[in-house]
């Protein structure tokens, strides 16, 4: 099947979007092989960085909507990737943490991302990569500025 890119007649942006899309498609397909949905990736990093987080904190850290977080966590809990525990002092608050299985899955995500990056960058010189980084940084800064945000 031929890969197509929707663009407005300009291959400049279409090519950039295509790289990101193909990268995510590759990562998703590899993660499915180990039984993980790619939608879980957004929550894994914040959960690895903390002992536990509330669902509200996950909303703030990931930028995802509360219903999306709730559904994803329910699926992750069902699969043994996270544990959810009600706060004893405030029963409305639920704390989420990764299980041992979740921590193992996180390692698989990192391995998969590393492999995807290695494949993506095959045959690209350091000079080409540096130029691409500079251009991407400028594009990001331009868009963030227009959105009224600052680049990290």
């Amino acid at each position: 099947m031929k890969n197509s890119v929707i663009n407005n007649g300009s291959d400049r942006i279409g090519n950039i979007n295509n790289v990101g899309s193909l990268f995510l498609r590759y990562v998703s397909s590899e993660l499915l092989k180990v039984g993980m949905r790619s939608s879980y990736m957004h929550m894994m990093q914040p959960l690895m960085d903390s002992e536990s987080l509330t669902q509200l904190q996950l909303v703030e850290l990931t930028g995802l909507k509360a219903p999306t977080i709730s559904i994803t966590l329910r699926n992750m809990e069902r699969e043994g990737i996270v544990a959810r525990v009600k706060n004893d002092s405030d029963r409305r608050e639920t704390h989420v943490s990764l299980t041992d299985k979740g921590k193992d899955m996180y390692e698989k995500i990192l391995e998969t991302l590393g492999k995807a990056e290695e494949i993506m960058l095959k045959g690209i010189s350091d000079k080409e990569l540096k130029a691409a980084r500079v251009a991407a940084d400028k594009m990001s800064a331009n868009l963030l500025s227009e959105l009224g945000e600052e680049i990290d």
Side-chain angles (χ1 to χ4, degrees):
M1 175 168 80
K2 185 177 179 187
N3 188 38
S4 64
V5 176
I6 297 174
N7 64 44
N8 61 359
S10 168
D11 284 339
R12 294 176 295 186
I13 298 303
N15 289 340
I16 292 168
N17 289 334
N18 198 33
V19 169
S21 176
L22 288 171
F23 184 87
L24 291 175
R25 197 167 104 197
Y26 173 82
V27 168
S28 293
S29 71
E30 291 299 301
L31 290 176
L32 279 175
K33 291 177 186 176
V34 296
M36 177 178 235
R37 300 176 200 194
S38 60
S39 60
Y40 297 172
M41 285 193 312
H42 299 291
M43 305 233 244
M44 299 296 277
Q45 181 69 51
L47 289 170
M48 273 302 287
D49 291 344
S50 301
E51 271 301 304
S52 74
L53 295 169
T54 65
Q55 289 184 209
L56 181 58
Q57 288 170 319
L58 279 169
V59 167
E60 293 167 357
L61 291 169
T62 63
L64 298 172
K65 304 277 186 219
T68 302
I69 296 281
S70 182
I71 291 166
T72 303
L73 286 176
R74 184 175 55 230
N75 291 333
M76 292 174 80
E77 184 177 38
R78 189 178 312 130
E79 294 176 31
I81 297 168
V82 299
R84 295 193 286 181
V85 178
K86 292 277 187 194
N87 183 341
D88 288 335
S89 60
D90 183 352
R91 301 295 290 164
R92 296 172 296 173
E93 190 174 82
T94 302
H95 288 267
V96 182
S97 59
L98 287 176
T99 62
D100 288 341
K101 179 180 179 180
K103 291 173 184 175
D104 289 343
M105 288 288 223
Y106 179 76
E107 293 304 318
K108 289 178 183 167
I109 290 172
L110 293 180
E111 289 170 19
T112 301
L113 289 170
K115 181 179 174 187
E117 184 175 283
E118 187 178 307
I119 291 167
M120 180 179 67
L121 298 177
K122 193 177 349 178
I124 297 176
S125 71
D126 288 342
K127 182 179 177 181
E128 291 169 319
L129 187 56
K130 183 178 180 184
R133 276 194 190 119
V134 168
D137 287 348
K138 286 179 182 179
M139 287 183 239
S140 294
N142 291 341
L143 290 168
L144 286 170
S145 174
E146 193 64 27
L147 291 167
E149 300 176 27
E150 291 184 28
I151 195 163
D152 292 335

